[in-house]
Amino acid sequence: MDENVGPSEMIVHLGPQHPMQPGPFRLNLRLRGETVVDAEVELGFIHKGIEKILESKTYLQGIPIVDRICYLTAMTNEEAYVGAVEKLADIEVPERSQYIRVILEELSRLQSHLLGMGEFGEFIGFVSMFMYTIKEREDILSLMDMVTGARVTHTFLKYGGVRGDLPEGFREKSAVIFAGLKEQIAEYRRLFNGDEIYKQRCFGVGILEAKTARDLGVSGPALRATGVAFDIRKDEPYLVYKDLDFKVCTATDGDIAARIEVRLDEMLEAMYIIEQCLDQMPSGPLFYEDSLYGVRTPTMRVPEGDVFHRVEDPRGEMGFYVVSDGSDKPHRVKIRGPVYPTMQALPPLITGTTVADVAAIAGSMDGCTSEADR
Amino acid sequence: MDAKSIIDSLVNKFQDSLTDAKVDSDIRISAYLEPEKIKDVCQYLKDELAFGHLSSETAIDYPKKDEIVVVYHIASYDHPVLLTIKVKLPRDAPEIESIVPVYWNANWYERETYELFGVKFNNHPDLRQLVLPEELLGDWPLRKDYEGFPNTTARNLV
């Protein structure tokens, strides 16, 4: 951005440390009065070089690394990486393992949306929302902990299956927690929509038109809030999503309130998916016995080739492009995260709004800088 | 629109520049392309075939073959087909036309590919480093011969 300012202009640097989104990034705003006339995002404060690290690790060693791309979506990152390698090596996953994976993906979506919404509440001064959601999120995390043994970075998937079966009592505990969460979601809706400040700051603010959203390459809830029903789980079903009944949640207005509404709906839908999985889940092995990979071989070799595998992350389209040269380490891994386009779309989205709305709009996009930087 | 009709339409239009165009599955197609045509192909894909969503853009380094391959994954919001386009560039002077005028969100992908691989995108509106500090520009850290900071390997190319 041009650093020269006009007589009635001012440049304001927001960040790199501020609560707009988890992780440091800097937003440079050119203001005329209170209106944002130009904006620029600066990244790179926590660039971890994960793509390079993955190239120097064997395929199995890579799984814990991809967890660290964004701690809110460790499970979907794993699914994207493991899924890509499974496609490359032609490894089949038994149905029971696939169901367990879907359950964990959806739990991951729940906890990510809960935290994202709570943080968003903070940006508009609705701090009690954070207190509510963090409590519910803890319950969901304890469910994931029960299965995987870890709260946020699970390393639970393995090529050709999962590390362990659902534990005793998972179904009963999840039923209790979901019943509570469903009531709680109704309560969130009541709190949001009954709040005068929320209404004034969120309805009709930060509107993203469907056409603009498509041109900006946005995906996930931010796109679905504009009415575009784009969901990888429907477009290119992975795991057992094609056998499950769920709808793609959309809203029409494309404003902040619509994005929150889509996330609330998606949480209900995620619970519905998990309940179906628990009902439909067949018994059977977690790994195919005759598979060459998985449990027994820490340094498996993957045939030459390349594959681009996409999954529906809580924030949108997560893709891994894995290139193999036939050795036990990937030749190249490209991580295509959903937050990259979301963050890129911030400047056009906040240009023309007032500086007071910037935090609310940026927060409602639910980005994760850690993932954009990788 | 299905994969077969899309690839037929592409091959008809860009016969001379496309090689190895094939249908990988019901919803995946891939092709190699000559570097000069990339912008025209993207424009055609977006306008005629509803490929409105640039999913990712990146590069792969092949030091043994002495080439850098730029890979585009282009999807659509309207149909489930995903197209992979690969463009081979010489490793000592990788240069290609920017597709930012067609796909707005290519901007950051191209900046990233530039700073990590040294692929120069002609007519990019703002080609500078994105995630790396300025001192590292010219080291191209994702190339295979990069030894690690502070040993520079490809500085002569800037």
Side-chain angles (χ1 to χ4, degrees):
Chain A
M1 192 165 61
D2 183 13
E3 291 285 321
N4 298 317
V5 287
S8 59
E9 287 182 345
M10 159 162 83
I11 290 188
V12 173
H13 302 288
L14 289 184
Q17 281 291 356
H18 55 98
M20 216 175 271
Q21 283 174 340
F25 79 104
R26 190 157 81 155
L27 202 51
N28 301 335
L29 305 173
R30 177 191 292 274
L31 304 179
R32 191 171 292 146
E34 276 193 26
T35 313
V36 181
V37 290
D38 197 5
E40 186 195 45
V41 179
E42 267 184 49
L43 285 181
F45 294 94
I46 41 170
H47 186 240
K48 303 182 281 290
I50 284 186
E51 290 176 8
K52 186 82 179 174
I53 296 173
L54 286 174
E55 284 174 18
S56 63
K57 301 273 178 207
T58 63
Y59 285 96
L60 201 63
Q61 288 170 334
I63 301 176
I65 310 286
V66 297
D67 271 357
R68 270 90 184 153
I69 296 167
C70 172
Y71 71 92
L72 284 177
T73 57
M75 215 64 228
T76 23
N77 295 339
E78 269 179 42
E79 179 54 46
Y81 184 58
V82 171
V85 176
E86 278 166 353
K87 264 192 196 171
L88 256 180
D90 208 9
I91 303 174
E92 263 189 77
V93 185
E95 229 178 22
R96 186 168 179 88
S97 284
Q98 294 194 33
Y99 274 104
I100 295 175
R101 285 187 185 187
V102 171
I103 290 173
L104 287 165
E105 310 289 289
E106 296 304 323
L107 284 175
S108 176
R109 196 180 313 283
L110 281 171
Q111 55 90 14
S112 168
H113 280 354
L114 280 169
L115 188 67
M117 242 171 35
E119 282 184 340
F120 166 75
E122 279 198 321
F123 308 145
I124 58 167
F126 200 159
V127 184
S128 35
M129 189 47 104
F130 187 75
M131 314 279 174
Y132 280 112
T133 58
I134 202 77
K135 177 182 159 289
E136 302 299 327
R137 176 171 181 261
E138 209 54 41
D139 290 342
I140 302 293
L141 287 184
S142 70
L143 273 181
M144 295 181 86
D145 191 355
M146 229 176 136
V147 186
T148 66
R151 285 175 71 252
V152 282
T153 45
H154 312 282
T155 322
F156 188 66
L157 305 192
K158 272 188 144 187
Y159 302 110
V162 292
R163 230 175 52 211
D165 210 332
L166 293 182
E168 214 45 47
F170 177 85
R171 200 192 165 112
E172 293 72 28
K173 192 172 176 193
S174 67
V176 175
I177 289 174
F178 287 171
L181 184 55
K182 276 175 198 163
E183 270 173 35
Q184 212 50 42
I185 287 174
E187 177 77 0
Y188 298 155
R189 270 189 223 274
R190 194 182 66 77
L191 282 173
F192 272 141
N193 294 327
D195 189 55
E196 202 53 42
I197 295 171
Y198 177 82
K199 277 186 206 160
Q200 294 200 4
R201 295 205 60 181
C202 299
F203 283 95
V205 178
I207 296 177
L208 193 60
E209 303 279 345
K211 190 183 171 308
T212 329
R214 283 161 170 246
D215 285 348
L216 300 184
V218 174
S219 58
L223 175 73
R224 290 194 283 273
T226 68
V228 182
F230 177 71
D231 192 322
I232 310 291
R233 290 175 293 176
K234 289 277 185 202
D235 272 23
E236 196 178 354
Y238 52 100
L239 298 176
V240 282
Y241 276 113
K242 58 181 181 312
D243 302 333
L244 296 165
D245 166 49
F246 66 99
K247 65 173 198 299
V248 180
C249 307
T250 54
T252 46
D253 295 340
D255 57 1
I256 295 178
R259 292 196 270 277
I260 296 296
E261 192 191 309
V262 167
R263 294 209 177 89
L264 284 168
D265 290 344
E266 270 185 14
M267 276 157 56
L268 291 176
E269 210 61 33
M271 283 187 274
Y272 177 50
I273 293 176
I274 297 171
E275 284 161 0
Q276 277 178 67
C277 287
L278 289 171
D279 286 341
Q280 292 180 13
M281 224 161 84
S283 56
L286 295 180
F287 288 94
Y288 283 125
E289 268 305 304
D290 54 350
S291 89
L292 283 165
Y293 306 95
V295 260
R296 288 177 297 273
T297 50
T299 56
M300 65 183 214
R301 284 171 192 278
V302 169
E304 222 176 303
D306 62 328
V307 78
F308 183 60
H309 181 62
R310 304 188 287 170
V311 302
E312 186 70 25
D313 188 85
R315 292 179 179 73
E317 178 190 359
M318 178 83 192
F320 265 74
Y321 179 56
V322 182
V323 183
S324 168
D325 56 359
S327 70
D328 57 351
K329 298 184 178 84
H331 181 76
R332 166 96 177 99
V333 180
K334 161 75 185 168
I335 305 159
R336 181 256 184 254
V339 184
Y340 227 61
T342 316
M343 299 262 276
Q344 232 188 131
L346 273 184
L349 190 57
I350 58 181
T351 302
T353 61
T354 59
V355 65
D357 286 334
V358 168
I361 296 172
S364 74
M365 296 296 279
D366 193 16
C368 175
T369 327
S370 167
E371 191 209 82
D373 276 353
R374 295 187 302 276
Chain B
M1 237 178 286
D2 63 296
K4 186 82 182 69
S5 65
I6 287 169
I7 206 134
D8 286 346
S9 161
L10 263 181
V11 171
N12 271 335
K13 178 88 179 163
F14 298 97
Q15 219 159 18
D16 308 330
S17 352
L18 276 180
T19 47
D20 210 12
K22 61 177 191 295
V23 177
D24 300 324
S25 76
D26 303 349
I27 49 171
R28 291 295 178 103
I29 45 185
S30 61
Y32 279 91
L33 182 73
E34 296 298 319
E36 307 83 50
K37 285 283 179 200
I38 185 67
K39 207 179 137 190
D40 297 340
V41 169
C42 288
Q43 194 72 56
Y44 181 74
L45 284 170
K46 191 177 182 182
D47 296 345
E48 307 292 329
L49 300 173
F51 278 90
H53 177 54
L54 177 74
S55 195
S56 111
E57 177 177 349
T58 187
I60 315 167
D61 185 21
Y62 290 109
K64 279 183 198 143
K65 289 189 245 172
D66 207 23
E67 64 190 15
I68 283 185
V69 178
V70 179
V71 187
Y72 302 82
H73 294 286
I74 306 175
S76 166
Y77 289 118
D78 307 304
H79 56 72
V81 182
L82 192 139
L83 168 66
T84 307
I85 301 180
K86 293 179 188 168
V87 180
K88 289 178 185 167
L89 300 175
R91 197 160 179 273
D92 48 355
E95 244 182 77
I96 192 167
E97 185 71 20
S98 163
I99 58 162
V100 176
V102 187
Y103 294 110
W104 182 87
N105 65 330
N107 193 321
W108 281 13
Y109 292 121
E110 290 185 353
R111 278 172 70 181
E112 196 191 349
T113 310
Y114 169 62
E115 69 183 341
L116 298 173
F117 286 94
V119 178
K120 193 159 169 274
F121 291 92
N122 296 326
N123 297 321
H124 186 283
D126 185 23
L127 197 63
R128 58 192 171 87
Q129 82 291 339
L130 177 73
V131 293
L132 295 182
E134 265 164 54
E135 311 89 86
L136 277 177
L137 194 67
D139 287 6
W140 320 137
L142 277 187
R143 283 201 187 185
K144 287 290 176 187
D145 57 3
Y146 180 70
E147 288 171 9
F149 189 80
N151 301 325
T152 56
T153 45
R155 177 80 74 179
N156 55 334
L157 290 179
V158 165

